[in-house]
Amino acid sequence: MNCTYQTARISAGAKSKVKSSVQRAIRTKIVETYPLLAPHIDEIIPKKSQLDLLKLPDRVTLYALDNQPLFWQHMDDPIIPHLRVVHAFPKCFSSLGIDRGAIRFVLSGATLMAPGLTSTGGRLPDEDAQLKEGDVAVVEAEGKEEACLVGQLRMGTEEVKEKKKGVVIDMGHYLGDGLWNMTID
């Protein structure tokens, strides 16, 4: 399944208000998935705020607050932060690093492959912070300050180190994609 938003514009389907009980459940799920966001959750989604749910193509749900996208989710996959949230709270997410050679491919919507992480300039987590298949990871580019991709891992970081080839992230949200350029009315 490949669900990157390579088109310049995405047209959102139905927009609806999230019930307060569902909003509490979403806040809880976010804190469970990203424990380092716990101190900032009231800043991201204040308790008295009204979260909007937007239906996007490919069975993706986008959660937005005051017309600002916050998180997205494909069917029952983990809830994934929008890059604007990642840029606001960069130390709250597990991250990987790609070498300079992989940057243009990632920013054009290509699948993230292991060589971009294992070559000189790439970065994988330390032994004590290994990520498993299915975990959500933020990808930072060598020599750049802000993250360029966020998505769900198709291969654990230990396996990436061993194999040094294969698909690492095939579904994600990257700088300049349709989700990044999307305007919500």
Side-chain angles (χ1 to χ4, degrees), residues 18-29 47 50:
V18 175
K19 292 176 19 181
S20 60
S21 59
V22 174
Q23 186 166 322
R24 278 192 305 274
I26 291 168
R27 284 171 49 102
T28 303
K29 188 68 175 167
K47 287 182 180 172
Q50 178 61 59

Side-chain angles (χ1 to χ4, degrees), residues 78-162:
I79 191 163
I80 299 176
H82 191 278
L83 277 169
R84 294 185 204 288
V85 173
V86 172
H87 293 166
F89 305 98
K91 301 293 183 212
C92 296
F93 303 96
S94 302
S95 66
L96 310 170
I98 55 171
D99 63 13
R100 290 183 187 277
I103 296 171
R104 68 185 174 116
F105 295 107
V106 167
L107 293 181
S108 66
T111 297
L112 177 62
M113 304 298 283
L117 299 166
T118 57
S119 62
T120 306
R123 179 180 49 78
L124 289 166
D126 296 328
E127 292 295 322
D128 59 337
Q130 294 296 318
L131 300 172
K132 309 180 301 296
E133 180 181 343
D135 287 352
V136 174
V138 169
V139 178
E140 298 167 342
E142 178 184 14
K144 307 294 180 194
E145 290 182 24
E146 294 190 329
C148 62
L149 171 70
V150 59
Q152 188 177 13
L153 295 175
R154 297 290 168 232
M155 179 187 315
T157 52
E158 195 62 45
E159 189 179 354
V160 171
K161 283 181 189 173
E162 289 170 16

Side-chain angles (χ1 to χ4, degrees), residues 160-173:
V160 171
K161 283 181 189 173
E162 289 170 16
K163 288 185 176 178
K164 294 189 179 359
K165 62 182 180 180
V167 174
V168 180
I169 296 177
D170 63 357
M171 178 188 121
H173 160 44

Side-chain angles (χ1 to χ4, degrees), residues 60-77:
V60 172
T61 302
L62 176 70
Y63 298 104
L65 179 67
D66 300 328
N67 293 330
Q68 292 299 314
L70 297 177
F71 294 89
W72 61 279
Q73 184 174 27
H74 178 263
M75 295 171 59
D76 292 329
D77 289 347

Side-chain angles (χ1 to χ4, degrees), residues 1 34 58 107 157:
M1 195 255 336
Y34 309 103
D58 299 325
L107 293 181
T157 52

